[in-house]
Amino acid sequence: MSSLPRTRLVIAIQKSGRLADKSLELVSSAGLRVVKGANELLYRVENYPIDLLRVRDDDIPTFVADGVADLGIVGRNVLEEAAHDPPPEVIMPLGFGRCELKIAAPEGAPFDGPASLAGMRIATTYPNLLSAYLARNGVSAEIVTMKGAVEVAPRLKLANAICDLVSTGATLEANGLAAVATILRSEALLIRAPHPIGGEFAPLADSIVQRFRGVTASQGAKYVMMNAPRAALARITDILPGADAPTVTPLAGVEDRVAVHAVCQESVFWETLERLKAAGASAILVLPIEKMM
Ligand code: PRT
Ligand code: ZN
């Protein structure tokens, strides 16, 4: 199916659910001013020719594959379960909506690798991912496809095991189930249509992608400043997590100490500060970063 010519760039996001708030947050952090009008399906961006198409997450890969939307935000689990030819392209992971697709069986059930699943009935809402996993492992098992509430299937004797998303593990525990294998690690992805984005929208799409990249990269990143002995610079750089070459500036009237500024891409923990102090650093400041490009 090919889409009709459009006058606005379209980004598909989940209407409501686990990814909805974070997707809107990302869009706002990228400087797009969203107007929540009467139209529930389409939110308009007032400062760019962009619309947000708000749909069920399961429909997002189809809309993006067909070019009804140019960009989309969806879980890897949903994207990989959907079969499109050509499939949407993955631009980047977005760092939220993390979960794992796991196989779980009643607690205490013997499990000794994927071969133990042979001949079982496994309930899931992810038949394609499950069947690919079974095939990869050369195991033949029966797949019971459900629409939801998969975790109750073993209790109802509908299945011996389930294959479902897990984040905290509380749902499995509450249903007397334990994870035995991980099929997929998932998080929200930014995806794009498999064909080139229409002429006049290409630069806009590129700029939005760059902004999303900047917002995503700055999450968790910190700007760290301190004074440190010149002689300890190498050690200090080693301690700073995920830092590029730091900026080093002289301190007025002090010979052997310098000011060190660095962008750390990873979390800076209290333990990191203690190690910096032990290496001779003082006046250590850790500041959040709002944008990065
Ligand atoms: O209405 P729509 O179809 O859009 O939404 P949905 O109900 O299909 O999806 P939704 O909003 O529940 O989830 C959207 C996406 O969030 C998923 O596709 C995943 O990419 C991601 N995600 C992250 C999760 C979870 N964590 C998660 N824990 N999706 C579902 N769960 C469910 C899981 O299915 C199980 O029922 O939460 C339960 C397990 O959670 P824990 O914390 O008890 O382990
Ligand atoms: Zn869904």
Side-chain angles (χ1 to χ4, degrees):
M1 180 173 112
S2 69
S3 50
L4 297 169
R6 282 190 271 100
T7 54
R8 298 172 75 83
L9 187 83
V10 175
I11 307 176
I13 61 170
Q14 191 188 25
K15 181 175 180 178
S16 65
R18 286 184 159 86
L19 305 182
D21 289 350
K22 291 271 187 189
S23 302
L24 267 183
E25 242 172 65
L26 173 64
V27 166
S28 304
S29 306
L32 311 191
R33 284 204 300 275
V34 179
V35 184
K36 300 177 180 177
N39 186 346
E40 280 286 302
L41 178 67
L42 223 54
Y43 278 178
R44 195 153 261 236
V45 172
E46 65 177 3
N47 52 340
Y48 292 98
I50 299 176
D51 283 335
L52 301 181
L53 178 64
R54 301 172 63 246
V55 289
R56 291 199 59 176
D57 65 348
D58 315 73
D59 294 330
I60 292 175
T62 310
F63 283 135
V64 175
D66 289 349
V68 172
D70 304 288
L71 301 172
I73 297 174
V74 73
R76 182 179 289 281
N77 53 302
V78 172
L79 177 70
E80 295 201 2
E81 176 66 18
H84 292 287
D85 187 22
E89 270 177 35
V90 176
I91 301 178
M92 62 179 153
L94 296 169
F96 61 88
R98 287 207 175 89
C99 55
E100 293 180 326
L101 184 65
K102 289 183 184 253
I103 296 183
E107 268 161 17
F111 185 81
D112 187 22
S116 308
L117 300 169
M120 280 199 182
R121 278 167 68 84
I122 311 173
T124 190
T125 52
Y126 294 89
N128 293 336
L129 285 169
L130 175 57
S131 106
Y133 171 84
L134 294 172
R136 267 200 313 279
N137 287 283
V139 175
S140 160
E142 190 185 341
I143 298 175
V144 182
T145 304
M146 296 177 66
K147 291 268 183 216
V150 166
E151 64 278 3
V152 300
R155 232 184 312 142
L156 299 179
K157 306 285 180 230
L158 266 170
N160 321 90
I162 68 164
C163 165
D164 197 13
L165 296 175
V166 178
S167 53
T168 62
T171 305
L172 291 187
E173 206 178 299
N175 288 281
L177 301 168
V180 294
T182 300
I183 293 190
L184 179 82
R185 284 178 228 293
S186 182
E187 68 183 284
L189 302 174
L190 179 64
I191 59 172
R192 54 163 290 162
H195 52 74
I197 291 176
E200 60 173 311
F201 290 127
L204 179 60
D206 284 349
S207 135
I208 297 306
V209 169
Q210 284 313 321
R211 290 182 186 199
F212 282 180
R213 207 180 286 288
V215 174
T216 305
S218 68
Q219 278 164 2
K222 294 280 183 274
Y223 194 74
V224 181
M225 307 196 288
M226 75 200 83
N227 295 340
R230 197 183 283 279
L233 269 179
R235 219 169 128 220
I236 297 243
T237 311
D238 274 356
I239 296 169
L240 287 169
D244 288 339
T247 307
V248 179
T249 25
L251 288 169
V254 190
E255 265 299 297
D256 57 342
R257 288 182 76 78
V258 286
V260 181
H261 291 194
V263 172
C264 291
Q265 305 285 356
E266 296 155 31
S267 306
V268 179
F269 299 106
W270 283 107
E271 288 76 5
T272 314
L273 302 198
E274 285 159 6
R275 291 177 62 208
L276 289 170
K277 235 182 150 73
S282 60
I284 310 171
L285 296 181
V286 180
L287 310 173
I289 295 174
E290 193 181 279
K291 296 185 177 69
M292 212 148 95
M293 206 163 202

